[in-house]
Amino acid sequence: PTHDTAIEILKDVLRRDPGNAKAGRLLDKRQADLDALKADQRRNEIAAAQQAIEEHLTRNELDLAGTVLDAAEGRFQSTAEFRALRERLQGVRRKEELDRLARAAVEQAQEDFARGNHQRAIADLSKFKPTHDRVSAAIRALKAQAEEIRRVREEQEARARAEAERAAREERVARLMAAAQAAVNQQRFQEALEAVEQLRALAPGV
């Protein structure tokens, strides 16, 4: 007979014959065997639940992992066997939330940067806490872009200044040459010499 059936039979025997020592010993043994069987079954079921949760976590199926975990804790009326998995699930969820916030912060900074707010974008992103690899990489990239933009702008400004100076010098040379020629034509030689000296100072190769 099964343990449950045997136990009921032995209990019935003891009700009829309370002093039956053999029945008492058999009852104790059957009850101990049943308890051990139930304990083994519980351990196996807990192990199966733990494996299922582990598999969901490995596949990053967090909602499923949470559902199975909640059900297991409720079914077995215990959290001790599942504490490590619960902590792992919570840790993964915290990381995912941090990753989401980091992505949003980087996207916002990139948008601000694209609108020309370079320093503000970098400064705002630098405030992100805790430290995150995505954010750190984005800060480095934005700083490099800002530096390149600054370098290109300074080069353009320098070229523009040089071009403006060249144009102004050429205009001045043209005026002095015209003034010198006019002075010669009108036999104002001293004035012509002065214009030539200015020309030599302004444009030695002229």
Side-chain angles (χ1 to χ4, degrees):
T2 64
H3 288 294
D4 288 333
T5 301
I7 287 171
E8 289 304 318
I9 292 172
L10 291 168
K11 284 182 177 179
D12 186 54
V13 169
L14 288 171
R15 280 195 295 270
R16 297 172 184 274
D17 183 10
N20 191 322
K22 183 177 180 181
R25 289 193 299 272
L26 287 173
L27 178 61
D28 290 342
K29 184 178 185 309
R30 282 285 189 168
Q31 188 64 58
D33 290 344
L34 179 60
D35 291 344
L37 182 63
K38 288 182 177 180
D40 285 343
Q41 183 178 357
R42 175 185 170 87
R43 282 193 294 271
N44 291 337
E45 290 174 350
I46 288 175
Q50 289 171 329
Q51 182 178 353
I53 297 165
E54 176 73 30
E55 290 174 356
H56 287 312
L57 287 173
T58 299
R59 293 193 294 267
N60 206 41
E61 298 168 348
L62 303 187
D63 289 341
L64 283 173
T67 298
V68 175
L69 182 54
D70 291 341
E73 288 176 338
R75 176 185 175 187
F76 297 107
Q77 295 295 304
S78 174
T79 59
E81 294 89 345
F82 302 97
R83 184 174 296 114
L85 290 170
R86 173 67 69 183
E87 291 175 354
R88 180 177 167 189
L89 174 61
Q90 292 171 340
V92 173
R93 281 176 168 165
R94 284 194 297 269
K95 183 180 182 303
E96 282 208 339
E97 176 62 11
L98 181 61
D99 289 345
R100 185 190 68 78
L101 294 173
R103 284 195 300 272
V106 168
E107 289 172 2
Q108 182 61 55
Q110 290 171 337
E111 290 176 5
D112 287 345
F113 192 93
R115 288 193 290 267
N117 303 317
H118 300 166
Q119 296 307 314
R120 188 179 74 184
I122 294 170
D124 287 349
L125 195 55
S126 297
K127 297 175 184 176
F128 187 89
K129 301 295 180 186
T131 301
H132 192 281
D133 289 344
R134 181 188 293 269
V135 172
S136 298
I139 291 172
R140 290 193 297 271
L142 292 178
K143 284 182 176 179
Q145 290 180 48
E147 177 60 23
E148 179 63 13
I149 290 170
R150 183 197 63 77
R151 184 188 65 78
V152 171
R153 183 173 61 247
E154 288 182 352
E155 289 180 354
Q156 291 174 339
E157 291 173 351
R159 284 195 296 270
R161 286 194 301 270
E163 179 61 24
E165 291 171 359
R166 184 192 62 78
R169 185 168 58 253
E170 289 180 351
E171 182 181 355
R172 176 65 174 160
V173 167
R175 287 201 302 269
L176 287 172
M177 289 181 68
Q181 185 62 51
V184 169
N185 293 339
Q186 296 173 15
Q187 298 185 354
R188 301 195 307 274
F189 300 115
Q190 184 60 38
E191 186 177 330
L193 288 172
E194 291 176 356
V196 169
E197 289 299 323
Q198 291 182 50
L199 275 170
R200 286 177 177 174
L202 185 62
V206 176

